[in-house]
Amino acid sequence: MYQILKQIVKTGIKTETPPQADGSMRLVEQRLQQAILEAFGGALAIRQVDAGSCNGCELEIHAVNNAYYNIEGLGIKFVASPRHADLLLVTGPVSRHMELALKRTYDATPEPKLVVAIGDCACDGGIFGSGDADGSGENYATCGKVSNVIPVDVVVSGCPPAPTAILQGILTAISARK
């Protein structure tokens, strides 16, 4: 025990410095909140659908929901049912097993509905579509990009995209709706 305490005292605190405040995020936040109020008159309800992803994009979507980005403070909430959703966030290349479920989720979402494809796999098939000639991402296990199955309004590329890019994609979808 003495050796461990001695090592702690000798080494000191070795953590990263906290990130500096990003003023541009405040502007994005204000624009997003104003756009939500204008477009929906209240809160924006999002249903997230994992159509076959590796969960990298889901981790970034969860990060958007943490205290740093505070998406709920902007009037955006995640819902469990597509019947309550205004926007679908879809991640991953659509696996053959999820094709029907994704179509049903899309059909269950009330009009007017928005669809945002999150991540390279949802946008163009990602690593699953790198080998095919047409770049659609289709193969024996996947239907490829989300737009092969349902209409997509906005694509947010990245593997995985940063939380700020996800927020920007949501803002773009809402802005396009107006």
Side-chain angles (χ1 to χ4, degrees):
M1 182 71 171
Y2 175 73
Q3 292 295 333
I4 294 173
L5 292 174
K6 183 178 169 185
Q7 182 67 31
I8 290 171
V9 171
K10 180 181 170 186
T11 305
I13 298 174
K14 297 290 184 189
T15 59
E16 296 178 8
T17 58
Q20 297 297 319
D22 186 4
S24 66
M25 266 305 288
R26 288 193 188 101
L27 296 176
V28 169
E29 177 181 319
Q30 291 166 353
R31 284 192 357 229
L32 186 57
Q33 192 168 25
Q34 187 61 34
I36 291 168
L37 286 174
E38 289 172 6
F40 295 98
L44 172 68
I46 297 176
R47 172 67 174 134
Q48 193 272 322
V49 180
D50 178 352
S53 77
C54 67
N55 289 338
C57 295
E58 280 77 10
L59 291 173
E60 297 303 314
I61 291 170
H62 286 286
V64 169
N65 215 12
N66 70 21
Y68 184 78
Y69 295 101
N70 191 22
I71 197 169
E72 291 223 6
L74 302 174
I76 300 172
K77 60 182 179 174
F78 287 88
V79 294
S81 171
R83 298 187 199 306
H84 304 146
D86 302 309
L87 183 142
L88 294 177
L89 279 183
V90 186
T91 61
V94 182
S95 68
R96 299 275 180 206
H97 295 291
M98 282 298 294
E99 181 180 12
L100 182 59
L102 181 58
K103 286 179 183 176
R104 285 182 179 171
T105 301
Y106 179 79
D107 292 339
T109 306
E111 292 288 344
K113 53 189 150 198
L114 300 167
V115 178
V116 178
I118 302 290
D120 287 343
C121 294
C123 297
D124 60 12
I127 61 169
F128 302 98
S130 59
D132 58 344
D134 61 355
S136 66
E138 292 183 48
N139 60 43
Y140 72 95
T142 69
C143 301
K145 56 188 177 182
V146 175
S147 62
N148 290 348
V149 180
I150 61 173
V152 172
D153 298 302
V154 176
V155 295
V156 180
S157 60
C159 187
T164 53
I166 295 170
L167 283 172
Q168 192 65 42
I170 293 169
L171 175 61
T172 303
I174 294 169
S175 301
R177 183 179 181 267
K178 293 191 284 184

